[in-house]
Amino acid sequence: MISAILPTYSPADLAFDRGEGAYLFTADGRRFLDFTSGIGVTSLGHAHPHIVKALKEQVDKLWHCSNLYMIPGQQQLAERLVANSFADTAFFCNSGAEAVEAGIKIVRRHHCAAGHDERFRIICAENAFHGRTMADIAAGGQEKHTRGFGPVVDGFDHVPFANLNALRSAIGPETAAILVEPVQGEGGILPAPEDYLRGLRAAADEFGLLLFFDEVQCGVGRSGRFFSHEWAGVTPDIMAVAKGIGGGFPLGACLASEKAASAMDSGSHGSTYGGNPLAMAVGNAVLDILLGDGFLDHIVHMGTLLRERLDDLAQRHRKMITGVRGLGLMLGLECIIPNQDLMMRLRENNLLTLTAGNNVLRLLPPLVIEEIHVDEALAILEKTCGEWE
Ligand SMILES: *Cc1c(COP(=O)(O)O)cnc(C)c1O
C-alpha cells in the first residue's frame, strides 16, 4: 500500500523537534551538530534571533496580499540585491526550481523579442542539477531525473563541465544561452575553475549568448562571497538564487541584467506567492546579517579553518578519504568508502552531513559556525573514521 506521503523520499528514521544555531534536537533530547543546513538552506543556523524576530513581527501584520498590490518588503529586497550584484532587476518566487525556470523563460523571451525565436537552445553542463520542474530536469539532463517523465522539454544541450573547448564547439545558430552552476552542488561539490567561468563570459559575448548562473546552492554567502562567481571576477546576465537567501523560509529569486530581462513585460511571468510579505521580511533579515560588517570574511575564515582540518583528517585516513574540495563553507570529502555509509555512521555519532555525486561526503554547515563547531565536527569525524578502521 502506498504511504500517505508520496514515497519520493527515503527519510532517515529520525525527526527533530527544535533547532538552535548549529544544533538540532530530537523530542527526547538528543542533540545533533547540523552540517547540512537543511541542504544549504538554514544559512544563519536554526532559530537565529534576528530572523525569528523579523518573521514574528511580519506574522502579526500581514501574510499575503498578492502581487496585485505593492509589497514594500519586496521593493526593499530587490533594491538590496540589485545594489549588491550585477543585476538590475529581480523576480521573486518560492524555490530554486522556479528561479531557474524563470531564468529559462527570460532567455527565450530575450531572443524572441530580438526577432530570433529560432535561438532557444541552452548549453548546460553534464552532471548538473537545476531543480525538478519539467524544464529544469531537461536542463539538468540527468537520466535518473528525466526517466519516465518524457517527452523531455526540448532546447537543452549538454557538454562536459569545466571544458571550454567542448562548450564552444556546441554553440550553434540556435544557441541562446549558457547555464552552469559556478560550483556544482548535487554533482559533487565541484568548483568551476575561474578561467573557465571567464571563458564562458567571453564565449557568451562573442556569440551574443546570455550567461546564466545557477547559484541556488553556492550563492548567498556560501562560498565566502555574496555570490560565488565574484571569485572569478565575471558577471552573468541571469542568476538563479534560493536556498540560503530564505534562511529556511521558502524563497527564491531570479536576478537579471536590464539587457537580458527587458522583454519581460507585465503579464509575461508571475507567481501567486512569490515575494509575499513573510518571505520578504525573512529575506531582508537574512541580508542584514549576511551583508553586515565582516560576515563574509567570517565565512572565508571558517571555510579555511574547516578545510585545513579536513585536509589533515584526509591525510591521516588515506584509505578512506582521498581529498577535500570546495569553496568557502561548501566542502566535499572525496571518499573511497561508500559516502552513504560514512554519512550514516556520522549520524550515529550525532553529526549530520550530506552525500553528493561521485562518492562525495558533502558538508554545508550554517554560515554562523565558530571554531568550536569545527572542533566538534572534526572530533566526530575522527572518532567515526577510527571506528571504521
Ligand atoms: C537545490 C537546487 C535547485 C532546486 O532548488 P529547489 O528549491 O529544490 O527547487 C536548483 N539548482 C541548484 C544548484 C540546487 O542546488
Side-chain angles (χ1 to χ4, degrees):
M1 201 177 76
I2 196 163
S3 49
I5 298 171
L6 190 75
T8 59
Y9 305 110
S10 322
D13 184 19
L14 182 62
F16 300 108
D17 181 53
R18 77 188 172 85
E20 194 184 318
Y23 296 99
L24 281 167
F25 298 86
T26 60
D28 61 6
R30 276 177 298 152
R31 188 183 87 152
F32 291 80
L33 180 58
D34 181 11
F35 269 35
T36 72
S37 302
I39 321 187
V41 168
T42 50
S43 47
L44 302 182
H46 299 283
H48 190 290
H50 185 66
I51 58 176
V52 168
K53 179 166 171 280
L55 182 58
K56 281 185 174 166
E57 280 174 12
Q58 190 60 47
V59 160
D60 284 335
K61 286 203 290 188
L62 178 66
W63 291 21
H64 180 83
C65 60
S66 89
N67 289 298
L68 294 173
Y69 308 99
M70 310 244 282
I71 298 171
Q74 207 179 105
Q75 186 68 30
Q76 192 192 356
L77 185 56
E79 282 173 9
R80 294 172 83 183
L81 289 169
V82 164
N84 288 284
S85 74
F86 73 95
D88 302 310
T89 189
F91 172 80
F92 292 109
C93 51
N94 316 286
S95 66
E98 289 168 276
V100 175
E101 186 86 17
I104 293 168
K105 289 180 73 174
I106 291 173
V107 165
R108 290 193 174 189
R109 189 89 167 183
H110 170 85
H111 289 288
C112 199
H116 287 288
D117 55 0
E118 81 285 0
R119 292 183 78 169
F120 69 96
R121 305 197 69 83
I122 301 181
I123 302 177
C124 305
E126 287 169 7
N127 197 44
F129 183 75
H130 297 299
R132 301 296 199 119
T133 65
M134 291 301 284
D136 293 345
I137 57 175
Q142 303 213 26
E143 217 265 328
K144 66 181 179 198
H145 294 141
T146 56
R147 192 187 321 126
F149 299 119
V152 176
V153 175
D154 190 20
F156 299 92
D157 300 312
H158 292 88
V159 294
F161 182 63
N163 182 332
L164 204 53
N165 289 334
L167 183 122
R168 291 181 68 97
S169 325
I171 298 172
E174 296 184 340
T175 307
I178 300 164
L179 166 58
V180 296
E181 298 157 82
V183 186
Q184 284 195 335
E186 302 302 315
I189 312 290
L190 288 156
E194 291 181 7
D195 58 354
Y196 171 69
L197 295 179
R198 287 192 285 268
L200 293 182
R201 180 70 267 173
D205 292 342
E206 187 179 335
F207 294 96
L209 314 178
L210 294 172
L211 182 58
F212 179 1
F213 286 157
D214 180 348
E215 293 228 13
V216 169
Q217 191 163 153
C218 61
V220 195
R222 180 60 53 192
S223 74
R225 288 281 181 270
F226 191 26
F227 296 110
S228 73
H229 64 262
E230 293 170 29
W231 286 112
V234 296
T235 54
D237 304 295
I238 303 172
M239 177 172 66
V241 174
K243 291 198 169 101
I245 195 172
F249 198 93
L251 168 57
C254 186
L255 310 191
S257 67
E258 180 165 15
K259 181 191 91 177
S262 58
M264 299 298 290
D265 52 4
S266 178
S268 60
H269 193 45
S271 162
T272 299
Y273 290 126
N276 73 78
L278 295 175
M280 296 301 102
V282 176
N284 275 305
V286 168
L287 290 202
D288 291 343
I289 306 288
L290 204 83
L291 298 174
D293 259 1
F295 192 75
L296 291 172
D297 292 338
H298 170 79
I299 299 167
V300 172
H301 180 56
M302 284 300 129
T304 307
L305 181 72
L306 180 57
R307 170 99 194 215
E308 282 168 6
R309 302 283 302 275
L310 291 172
D311 278 330
D312 176 59
L313 177 90
Q315 288 289 321
R316 280 178 294 100
H317 298 280
R318 287 168 191 271
K319 292 203 182 96
M320 307 175 67
I321 301 159
T322 50
V324 185
R325 64 190 186 211
L327 203 57
L329 284 172
M330 184 173 184
L331 294 168
L333 292 179
E334 300 158 4
C335 297
I336 297 174
I337 54 174
N339 57 355
Q340 188 78 24
D341 294 354
L342 181 56
M343 179 196 74
M344 285 186 330
R345 297 228 195 162
L346 289 166
R347 192 165 67 213
E348 283 163 19
N349 288 328
N350 296 43
L351 174 64
L352 303 177
T353 59
L354 298 153
T355 58
N358 293 310
N359 205 28
V360 161
L361 186 87
R362 175 168 45 151
L363 303 177
L364 301 174
L367 308 177
V368 294
I369 53 164
E370 299 286 346
E371 190 163 351
I372 51 161
H373 303 111
V374 174
D375 290 343
E376 187 178 343
L378 265 294
I380 297 174
L381 277 158
E382 191 65 58
K383 173 171 179 251
T384 307
C385 287
E387 286 169 357
W388 192 296
E389 285 165 358

